[in-house]
Amino acid sequence: MSLHGTSLINGGPIAPGGHPFAAASPLHPEPLSPEFYEATEADVHRALTAAEAARTALEEAGSQGRARFLEGIATELESLGVPLLERAHLETGLPLERLASERSRTTGQLRLLAALLREERWRDLRVDPPLPERQPLARPELRRTLLPLGPVAVFGASNFPFAYSVAGGDTASAFAAGCPVVVKAHPAHPGTSELTGGAIVRALRNSDLPPGAFALLQGRSHALGEALVRHPLLCAVGFTGSLRGGRALFDAANSRPAPIPVFAEMGSLNPVFLLPGALHSRAAQIAAGLTQSITQGGGQFCTKPGLLFGIAGPELDAFQSNLEEAMRAALPSTLLHSEIQRSYESGAARAAALPGVQILTESARPPEPALTQGRPLLLGTDSATYLAERSLHEENFGPSTLFVKAPNLEVLLQIAARLEGQLTAAVHGTDAEAEAVGALFSILEQKAGRLIYNGYPTGVEVCAAMHHGGPYPASTDSRFTAVGTAAIQRWLRPVCYQNFAAPSRWWNNL
Ligand code: NAP
């Protein structure tokens, strides 16, 4: 499968211009071919000028036209077959089976949004009929509907090269809303990005939509992303990645002469609260479920449970032995790139060196340095140390978790109340513990976008009821989701039409 190594603007690859950079693989030390070329500020301008020129046609394609386009992207992604998965495997180190299921999730997401468009309810049309006889004032007809915001920039994360990348949830929902998209490719998987971008270009062509409706900008400098966010033709930003990156782009967007919305989905610690009754009846089962959730995908999930809280006592001690045993048996796995591995190792070492924090156990198998592996790690501390030490409230991206013992339920509730915003929060309890479960959830619903009872946070279902977001710092706008059909709402703007005679050309698409 041949690659150009350049950005895609207006329906095809551009001439190589900016600085060259190599795609790296976590699986071997040699750089991957071909070389990629960083997009320039002039490319940002070209991409956004083309996007602006395409916006009317994309909007006028209507729900049916855009539904066909989204389905076309899904078909093109499937027709890239195994070579797409192989390139993604080389660039990310993720196993082929996992990549195959992630691609299915991505095509399923595109088709789900197409089905949503066909229903038309996404427009949330509200009509107040005229009341000409009303006293003391007549009322004109009022109609409120939703319109696309305009060109959107999408920044994907390294850990989901399909589902949160070039043709992932942000791009799919922005297209569904009728917004042209300019993607800043993640520098950790530029080849996968180019192949996926090619699929979108072909789907646009097959749907008779203007090629400017999509662009892919390659690059690994923060300056490129910032130039994109600051461009005056850009109307909104979708970001998935680290808190540092999301915050930088949020600040850049807000310091523009005309600020624009940034929907940044960032890291999360996904706390899990373990009540004694649940541990009494299901200690081994919960330990196995949590270990799987902590280490799956090398712990490189934004929904990885990074904090476990329980009440000191015999149930928690028994559970700790089960958890230690399961974590010792878990195998190291290849992390996405050497920087993530370094940052995982140094984060774990910093936490373990804090007074009051201990390494409870780690994988019995040492990591393979040549394979950029991270080792499953269980750290432990007491609630006083956890509450006092700010750095323990930050995500460490990789297969580790912090196990915190509280002396009683009151302290557990204090811990819940002190949490920062999260994507998810989970409680394991029993019917007999209903009061404690209720008290926890009434605090946790202020803290997280998804509450889980007797379950695990990893595995984000793509559906109508999903909410993937949460109060800051989990996301920059807790009212919106990055996953599921409601994700379309981020890219729409309400407009009210007053005293327009219907039917009119404006209602044809309603
Ligand atoms: P990342 O380093 O923040 O990168 C994400 C994208 O943002 C890249 O394209 C990156 O490109 C760009 N970027 C980062 N910092 C920037 C800055 N200061 N200015 C301009 N652009 C910037 O994230 P990652 O390492 O790929 O992903 C791991 C993180 O994502 C974890 O924290 C994980 O929890 C989170 N995540 C969240 C979700 C969610 O749904 N909430 C899902 C998956 C992952 P450059 O490097 O070229 O600048």
Side-chain angles (χ1 to χ4, degrees):
M1 205 161 259
S2 71
L3 291 166
H4 299 279
T6 61
S7 298
L8 304 172
I9 300 180
N10 235 335
I14 60 168
H19 293 297
F21 68 96
S25 174
L27 299 170
H28 56 72
E30 304 84 45
L32 299 170
S33 64
E35 253 184 347
F36 285 82
Y37 295 89
E38 176 112 7
T40 61
E41 268 200 61
D43 297 329
V44 170
H45 183 65
R46 284 177 56 203
L48 276 162
T49 309
E52 177 64 23
R55 71 191 269 182
T56 307
L58 197 58
E59 192 181 342
E60 287 181 351
S63 293
Q64 304 302 322
R66 294 201 296 279
R68 279 192 297 277
F69 168 46
L70 293 179
E71 288 162 349
I73 301 173
T75 306
E76 290 292 336
L77 280 179
E78 282 158 355
S79 71
L80 287 170
V82 173
L84 174 65
L85 306 181
E86 284 171 341
R87 178 73 196 193
H89 170 64
L90 272 181
E91 291 185 332
T92 63
L94 294 171
L96 285 168
E97 316 76 67
R98 141 76 200 270
L99 289 164
S101 81
E102 190 187 324
R103 175 168 61 181
S104 299
R105 171 187 162 150
T106 308
T107 53
Q109 193 160 269
L110 286 156
R111 291 186 173 114
L112 187 71
L113 282 159
L116 175 84
L117 288 182
R118 291 210 159 90
E119 279 182 14
E120 297 285 3
R121 274 185 299 156
W122 63 272
R123 290 183 195 277
D124 190 23
L125 177 65
R126 297 155 192 230
V127 181
D128 285 305
L131 298 174
E133 312 302 332
R134 192 180 69 174
Q135 291 300 329
L137 282 177
R139 184 176 78 183
E141 189 203 60
L142 294 140
R143 288 181 177 229
R144 180 192 189 271
T145 188
L146 300 172
L147 297 185
L149 281 177
V152 166
V154 169
F155 294 77
S158 55
N159 55 341
F160 282 95
F162 301 130
Y164 291 85
S165 191
V166 179
D170 284 353
T171 299
S173 55
F175 278 149
C179 298
V181 171
V182 177
V183 172
K184 152 67 178 61
H186 199 292
H189 53 261
T192 310
S193 297
E194 184 185 319
L195 294 171
T196 310
I200 298 178
V201 167
R202 287 191 294 283
L204 273 175
R205 199 182 303 136
N206 295 341
S207 312
D208 289 326
L209 289 169
F214 170 73
L216 175 77
L217 302 178
Q218 295 282 8
R220 59 173 183 179
S221 81
H222 292 354
L224 173 64
E226 295 219 359
L228 181 57
V229 169
R230 290 186 191 281
H231 195 284
L233 289 175
L234 192 73
C235 296
V237 178
F239 172 94
T240 309
S242 61
L243 173 58
R244 192 152 24 126
R247 183 61 203 236
L249 295 176
F250 178 80
D251 289 344
N254 280 292
S255 64
R256 290 165 43 120
I260 53 173
V262 175
F263 301 101
E265 299 297 328
M266 302 174 288
S268 178
L269 279 106
N270 308 298
V272 179
F273 291 83
L274 304 155
L275 294 177
L279 296 182
H280 180 74
S281 52
R282 296 183 282 118
Q285 191 192 330
I286 296 173
L290 278 174
T291 301
Q292 156 81 0
S293 194
I294 293 158
T295 58
Q296 195 185 0
Q300 302 165 117
F301 285 143
C302 50
T303 49
K304 177 199 78 171
L307 287 172
L308 314 179
F309 300 108
I311 300 171
E315 294 87 359
L316 196 65
D317 292 343
F319 167 75
Q320 183 178 333
S321 325
N322 283 302
L323 186 64
E324 287 179 7
E325 192 185 325
M327 287 292 284
R328 251 194 314 279
L331 297 177
S333 46
T334 295
L335 301 185
L336 291 155
H337 49 82
S338 50
E339 254 173 62
I340 285 195
Q341 186 209 29
R342 267 196 297 279
S343 136
Y344 172 64
E345 299 286 343
S346 58
R350 259 196 319 277
L354 289 169
V357 178
Q358 309 87 38
I359 294 180
L360 296 180
T361 194
E362 53 191 333
S363 165
R365 168 104 53 102
E368 191 72 63
L371 292 178
T372 322
Q373 287 188 335
R375 188 176 198 168
L377 173 68
L378 180 65
L379 295 167
T381 193
D382 57 276
S383 50
T385 306
Y386 167 75
L387 286 170
E389 181 52 53
R390 179 71 194 77
S391 67
L392 295 177
H393 300 226
E394 289 164 13
E395 179 191 37
N396 192 17
F397 199 53
S400 70
T401 198
L402 179 66
F403 181 61
V404 183
K405 279 187 192 176
N408 51 41
L409 178 63
E410 202 187 335
V411 175
L412 212 61
L413 297 175
Q414 278 168 19
I415 287 174
R418 295 267 296 273
L419 285 169
E420 291 192 316
Q422 305 288 337
L423 293 171
T424 75
V427 176
H428 283 264
T430 60
D431 289 352
E433 293 170 307
E435 207 176 310
V437 170
L440 273 167
F441 276 133
S442 69
I443 299 172
L444 294 173
E445 65 193 7
Q446 306 299 319
K447 304 286 179 179
R450 179 159 57 102
L451 302 177
I452 302 157
Y453 184 48
N454 288 336
Y456 307 96
T458 43
V460 182
E461 190 68 29
V462 183
C463 59
M466 178 48 66
H467 184 78
H468 188 65
Y472 186 87
S475 79
T476 47
D477 194 332
S478 62
R479 295 168 298 171
F480 296 92
T481 177
V483 176
T485 47
I488 193 175
Q489 299 298 328
R490 293 173 298 169
W491 321 115
L492 294 165
R493 180 175 68 85
V495 175
C496 174
Y497 295 88
Q498 179 174 325
N499 204 25
F500 279 66
S504 108
R505 76 182 178 85
W506 284 287
W507 316 138
N508 291 344
N509 276 337
L510 299 183

